[in-house]
Amino acid sequence: MDFELTDEQVMLRDTVRELLARNYDPETRLKITDTELGWSRDVWSQLAELGVLGLSFTEEDGGVGAGPVETMVVLEEIGRRLAPEPLLDAVLVPGGLVARVGSAEQRQRILPEVAGGTRLLAFAHAEPGVRWPSTELTTTAVQQGDSWVLTGLKNPVPHGDSADELVVSAVLPSGGIGLFLVDAAGVQRKSYRTLDGQRGAQIEFDNVPGELLGDNVDAAEAVQVTIGHAQAALCAESIGAMEEALRLTTDYLKTRKQFGVTLSKFQTLTQRAANMYVSLELARSMSLYANASLADGADDPVVASRARLQVGRSARHIGQEAIQMHGGIGVTAEYPVSHYVARLTAIERTLGGGLEHLRVLSAQVGDYDLPEL
């Protein structure tokens, strides 16, 4: 099996890398994340012009029709630069749900604008007190004639503060989960800043009108598949962030002097840096495994949890070692490595932490045959 990127994928990677490098150095990123929006609409427009926002949508829906590997390539570059643009939260997840569940009219009305960067979506699914995988929802949908109204509370809603339209999950009267399109201007939103400098919102629905996405059927499977793609995307973003955290650490060891010599002369520190590299490569192989599985059409939550568990463990190891080997400067807001560790920590707690993914995997133990000697 060939694990090398194709020429087109390399071109995509290099183009996105150049765009983000041109717009984001550590100082510029801090200024952008300190604004009310928390990300750059100018960079968002540039990503739309490159076709990045439409990578995962079919050509009929106004997109490019690329696969999960192309998305992985882009997300790695997002992680490498810690670009705060909500590609995952405003496009890949809610747009993926519209593409899978929405009617032809809904897809053609919404997705071209999402791919063009003129419509921002957000997926309102998680609820307070409900741990991932968030299958027992309290938000309800009631049909009133030909329309629907929703009541409930969603939190956290990643980048829900800037969304123009929400894709909301709610319990249908007949049971199961329905998905609804809701105008974000008609809900009560309380926005906040997250640990990693990004944005989230608590959103309250009080008999808010919503448009049923697709048919009146249980959309739980579509939600699971879309979240599986999001898990793979988070793995890819983590790889980019871990690569840069490791690079910053090794560069620091080569320049910082102690007792008259650079830190790279101390064998223990070089061995610890080598162990960081091993963790990175373990995570990279699992990220590739998850995205290659999706490219083959295998939407398996067990595969996603395998990848997330190892990537999360690698991220924790690399983050802790990066801080430790930088010393005091590693925890300052002015130095970039602290922001990489913050983002890796936030990703590790998004869509299930290590404990939740370990539970998914342990529940499958009985399905495997015991080896015979």
Side-chain angles (χ1 to χ4, degrees):
M1 181 178 293
D2 185 7
F3 292 103
E4 296 294 325
L5 298 178
T6 65
D7 292 342
E8 290 80 8
Q9 291 165 347
V10 170
M11 185 180 299
L12 173 65
R13 180 199 65 192
D14 293 345
T15 302
V16 174
R17 181 177 297 181
E18 192 275 331
L19 185 155
L20 296 179
R22 186 173 65 246
N23 286 279
Y24 284 120
D25 55 61
E27 263 186 47
T28 303
R29 180 187 174 275
L30 284 178
K31 290 178 182 178
I32 293 296
T33 55
D34 281 339
T35 62
E36 183 178 355
L37 182 63
W39 50 276
S40 169
R41 290 192 182 274
D42 179 55
V43 174
W44 191 250
S45 298
Q46 294 180 59
L47 290 171
E49 290 173 6
L50 285 178
V52 170
L53 303 188
L55 272 180
S56 59
F57 305 146
T58 64
E59 295 182 13
E60 292 79 7
D61 292 336
V64 178
V69 176
E70 285 75 18
T71 301
M72 176 190 74
V73 167
V74 171
L75 264 294
E76 283 188 10
E77 298 309 314
I78 294 282
R80 190 186 310 278
R81 281 290 170 178
L82 289 185
E85 281 64 41
L87 179 61
L88 178 65
D89 300 330
V91 177
L92 297 179
V93 173
L97 289 169
V98 174
R100 289 182 178 87
V101 179
S103 65
E105 184 276 329
Q106 289 171 328
R107 295 197 308 271
Q108 292 165 11
R109 167 165 51 93
I110 297 170
L111 295 183
E113 292 184 7
V114 174
T118 58
R119 186 192 295 240
L120 294 170
L121 302 177
F123 182 35
H125 181 58
E127 298 183 353
V130 180
R131 301 185 67 159
W132 181 84
S134 307
T135 54
E136 298 179 2
L137 303 179
T138 59
T139 301
T140 58
V142 177
Q143 190 168 12
Q144 296 182 349
D146 294 332
S147 61
W148 294 80
V149 292
L150 280 66
T151 301
L153 182 66
K154 298 290 187 177
N155 188 34
V157 181
H159 288 98
D161 60 317
S162 57
D164 302 311
E165 194 167 22
L166 303 168
V167 178
V168 186
S169 60
V171 178
L172 295 168
S174 58
I177 296 176
L179 295 175
F180 298 85
L181 297 169
V182 176
D183 184 358
V187 300
Q188 301 178 43
R189 288 190 281 189
K190 183 185 294 183
S191 62
Y192 50 82
R193 182 168 175 160
T194 57
L195 165 73
D196 52 345
Q198 301 205 16
R199 300 296 189 272
Q202 174 176 290
I203 301 181
E204 186 174 352
F205 304 88
D206 186 7
N207 288 322
V208 174
E211 175 189 349
L212 182 65
L213 191 61
D215 299 322
N216 187 8
V217 296
D218 188 0
E221 183 178 351
V223 171
Q224 178 179 297
V225 170
T226 303
I227 288 179
H229 282 255
Q231 302 279 21
L234 288 172
C235 288
E237 185 180 349
S238 295
I239 299 303
M242 283 188 276
E243 276 189 336
E244 192 63 13
L246 177 56
R247 185 193 67 80
L248 289 169
T249 303
T250 54
D251 286 352
Y252 185 77
L253 294 180
K254 294 173 185 176
T255 55
R256 179 72 166 88
K257 288 188 175 182
Q258 190 82 20
F259 305 112
V261 297
T262 59
L263 294 178
S264 59
K265 299 296 183 182
F266 294 91
Q267 187 178 36
T268 298
L269 295 181
T270 58
Q271 288 172 341
R272 288 167 65 177
N275 287 336
M276 291 171 68
Y277 176 74
V278 171
S279 287
L280 172 61
E281 291 306 305
L282 280 171
R284 191 195 309 278
S285 64
M286 292 305 293
S287 176
L288 185 58
Y289 166 52
N291 282 279
S293 296
L294 292 176
D296 287 341
D299 300 311
D300 189 348
V302 175
V303 172
S305 288
R306 286 173 185 162
R308 283 299 309 278
L309 183 62
Q310 179 56 58
V311 170
R313 286 174 173 176
S314 293
R316 180 180 291 267
H317 173 224
I318 290 173
Q320 289 177 340
E321 287 289 71
I323 294 291
Q324 182 68 27
M325 286 196 273
H326 274 87
I329 194 176
V331 296
T332 61
E334 294 76 16
Y335 196 73
V337 75
S338 64
H339 299 281
Y340 283 97
V341 176
R343 180 58 185 152
L344 288 170
T345 301
I347 289 176
E348 201 276 332
R349 303 304 303 170
T350 301
L351 298 180
L355 181 60
E356 285 78 22
H357 289 294
L358 194 58
R359 284 173 176 162
V360 171
L361 298 177
S362 63
Q364 308 298 318
V365 170
D367 296 338
Y368 300 114
D369 296 328
L370 292 174
E372 296 182 4
L373 299 179

